[in-house]
Amino acid sequence: MSSRIRSADVIVTSPGRNFVTLKVTTDDGVVGWGDATVNGRELAVAAYLRDHVAPLLVGRDADRIEDTWQFLYRGAYWRRGPITMAAIGAVDLALWDIRGKVLDQPVYNLLGGAVRDGILSYTHASGWTLEELKDSVDEVLSRGFRAVRAQSGVPGLDTVYGIHRGQSSYEPAARGISPVEEMWDTRAYVRHAPRVLADLRDHVGEEVELLHDAHHRLRPIEAAQLAKDLEPVRLFWLEDVTTGENQEAMRLVRENTTTPLALGEVFNTIWDCKDLITSQSIDFIRSSVMHAGGISHSRRINDLASLWQVQVAPHGPSDVSPITMAASLHLDLATPNLGIQEHMGYPAVTAEVFRSTYSLADGMLHPGDAPGLGVEVDEDAAARFPYSRAYLPVARRRDGTMTDW
């Protein structure tokens, strides 16, 4: 017998990072949790959920997950975009969570069951100097990871996104009333990065998978040059080498290099991903399961990618909550064309609010076998961590113009 949605409530909390959480409760008292965090625009998506989406959910059949997705997507004239799709994604995750709990099954069993025993993952290593970077990579490998994303400082620059002098931790967002502005020099970076990564390859050997992120800041010809120069390093991938909006640009990069290319963490729908996948301009599609409208819509992206031998590699930063991470792992476990899962991790304080059952061992992730998504939210603990404004930094070139990202 179906169950109706009794209430939908929005919780904004900041245990380490700002998170937007959706709590959906059925008339049987079953609670499903969804994540709707959009970094730096958290209050916008919270208001969208609270004022426009939550009232539409009350009285709806909680079992009709696909119908609810279609209703929320097609029922708004101004569809798509990060705020709308994150809100829809939060509802979708909460309904899958409820369905798993009602049936006493982990969500991955509702998606056809596991196709692998564990999920290959990578995390981040960074250092301002090459020696600091090597030390950071060694620490990551000592924890059992077999894949690591490596980022370093750039000579002549005082700051580089996400890297702090003398620190191996990677935390890009900063608290404050406005974003930090950094200086950027593409030519210095394109000269320096291949040397650093070549030295790092010699340091770790051939068995370790190395990844690198260019953060969208290169013009197409610069991106092609960097990718070509990095071919001897044999990266697992080069990520976000140029902006995703100009999708024709990726064809130029692809035609000039055999370095594997990853893109799409800022994409929200299958329409954002379609042309890059069907043209085989990329090797990995990186949309986040929540930002791309939840499990229901992300499955469509994954299936399209599989037809074109493109692998899935979901975005997994610390600015999506453990609810999204768990949802991603359930979908990963049931997705044949999964390549790898990013797991940036969370500060210890995050676990005071989000109680998760997923596990990480020797660089392999598993969502666990708890019914639903396997994450519960301590609302009393959430209330102890009020929202505090935070932004990712922005970058300007030496002449003062803004970079693409």
Side-chain angles (χ1 to χ4, degrees), residues 238 241 247 250-251 254 259-264 267 272-286 305 308-311:
L238 178 59
V241 73
Q247 298 197 0
M250 292 304 297
R251 296 190 184 188
R254 162 58 71 230
T259 295
L261 303 172
L263 195 75
F267 290 172
D272 300 322
C273 308
K274 177 179 68 72
D275 291 346
L276 287 175
I277 290 172
T278 58
S279 67
Q280 295 182 294
S281 297
I282 57 174
D283 303 281
F284 298 90
I285 185 66
R286 301 214 57 242
W308 297 89
Q309 297 176 293
V310 171
Q311 290 186 288

Side-chain angles (χ1 to χ4, degrees), residues 40-41 172-182 387-394:
R41 298 296 184 270
R175 306 282 178 174
I177 61 172
S178 63
V180 173
E181 295 194 13
E182 300 177 345
Y387 169 81
S388 175
R389 196 181 308 275
Y391 295 102
L392 297 176
V394 297

Side-chain angles (χ1 to χ4, degrees), residues 353-371:
V353 175
F354 299 93
R355 312 290 172 81
S356 307
T357 62
Y358 76 79
S359 61
L360 171 66
D362 295 328
M364 301 292 285
L365 287 156
H366 195 284
D369 294 320

Side-chain angles (χ1 to χ4, degrees), residues 5 8 22 24 35-36 45 48-58 60-62 64-81 83-96 269 290 293-294 296-297 300:
I5 295 172
L22 178 67
V24 176
D35 175 30
V45 72
Y48 189 98
L49 272 172
R50 185 181 297 113
D51 298 337
H52 301 289
V53 175
L56 302 177
L57 298 178
V58 176
R60 292 190 64 83
D61 187 340
R64 299 185 65 171
I65 301 174
E66 180 64 30
D67 184 64
T68 298
W69 195 96
Q70 297 291 336
F71 172 74
L72 294 176
Y73 181 80
R74 300 182 187 281
Y77 185 78
W78 298 106
R79 60 181 68 168
R80 302 171 66 179
I83 304 302
T84 296
M85 296 306 290
I88 294 174
V91 175
D92 191 72
L93 299 190
L95 295 184
W96 279 104
T269 71
M290 174 265 292
S296 297
H297 192 64
R300 294 187 172 91

Side-chain angles (χ1 to χ4, degrees), residues 310-323:
V310 171
Q311 290 186 288
V312 176
H315 192 37
S318 63
D319 58 20
V320 299
S321 87
I323 299 169

Side-chain angles (χ1 to χ4, degrees), residues 132-151:
E132 289 175 351
L133 176 58
K134 288 179 180 178
D135 289 344
S136 181
V137 169
D138 289 345
E139 189 278 328
V140 167
L141 298 180
S142 73
R143 289 187 270 143
F145 282 93
R146 292 176 282 158
V148 56
R149 195 195 80 168
Q151 309 291 133

Side-chain angles (χ1 to χ4, degrees), residues 108-305:
Y108 72 81
N109 272 348
L110 308 183
L111 301 173
V115 298
R116 55 179 49 81
D117 297 325
I119 299 158
L120 177 65
S121 67
Y122 74 93
T123 194
H124 300 181
S126 62
W128 191 261
T129 67
L130 175 59
E131 292 308 312
E132 289 175 351
L133 176 58
K134 288 179 180 178
D135 289 344
S136 181
V137 169
D138 289 345
E139 189 278 328
V140 167
L141 298 180
S142 73
R143 289 187 270 143
F145 282 93
R146 292 176 282 158
V148 56
R149 195 195 80 168
Q151 309 291 133
S152 76
V154 176
L157 297 180
D158 295 326
T159 56
V160 172
Y161 174 72
I163 301 171
H164 307 286
R165 293 178 185 269
Q167 299 180 28
S168 60
S169 61
Y170 177 88
E171 180 47 70
R175 306 282 178 174
I177 61 172
S178 63
V180 173
E181 295 194 13
E182 300 177 345
M183 186 66 68
W184 178 249
D185 187 328
T186 297
R187 293 180 66 83
Y189 163 72
V190 171
R191 289 193 302 267
H192 186 64
R195 294 195 292 264
V196 168
L197 292 168
D199 284 346
L200 188 59
R201 171 58 74 199
D202 290 340
H203 176 71
V204 301
E206 295 295 328
E207 298 303 315
V208 173
E209 300 290 4
L210 292 178
L211 303 82
H212 181 70
D213 190 346
H215 293 121
H216 301 106
R217 291 182 176 177
L218 309 184
R219 293 184 295 114
I221 195 64
E222 296 164 339
Q225 183 65 66
L226 177 63
K228 189 172 185 64
D229 289 348
L230 285 170
E231 287 177 2
V233 179
R234 296 197 175 274
L235 292 178
F236 186 86
W237 78 37
L238 178 59
E239 178 184 349
D240 292 345
V241 73
T242 192
T243 180
E245 288 93 336
N246 180 9
Q247 298 197 0
E248 287 292 325
M250 292 304 297
R251 296 190 184 188
L252 184 150
V253 181
R254 162 58 71 230
E255 290 168 357
N256 284 279
T257 186
T258 57
T259 295
L261 303 172
L263 195 75
E265 68 183 50
V266 298
F267 290 172
N268 309 127
T269 71
I270 195 170
W271 308 110
D272 300 322
C273 308
K274 177 179 68 72
D275 291 346
L276 287 175
I277 290 172
T278 58
S279 67
Q280 295 182 294
S281 297
I282 57 174
D283 303 281
F284 298 90
I285 185 66
R286 301 214 57 242
S287 54
S288 157
V289 67
M290 174 265 292
H291 291 136
I295 290 171
S296 297
H297 192 64
S298 293
R299 285 196 298 175
R300 294 187 172 91
I301 296 172
N302 295 358
D303 287 344
L304 176 65

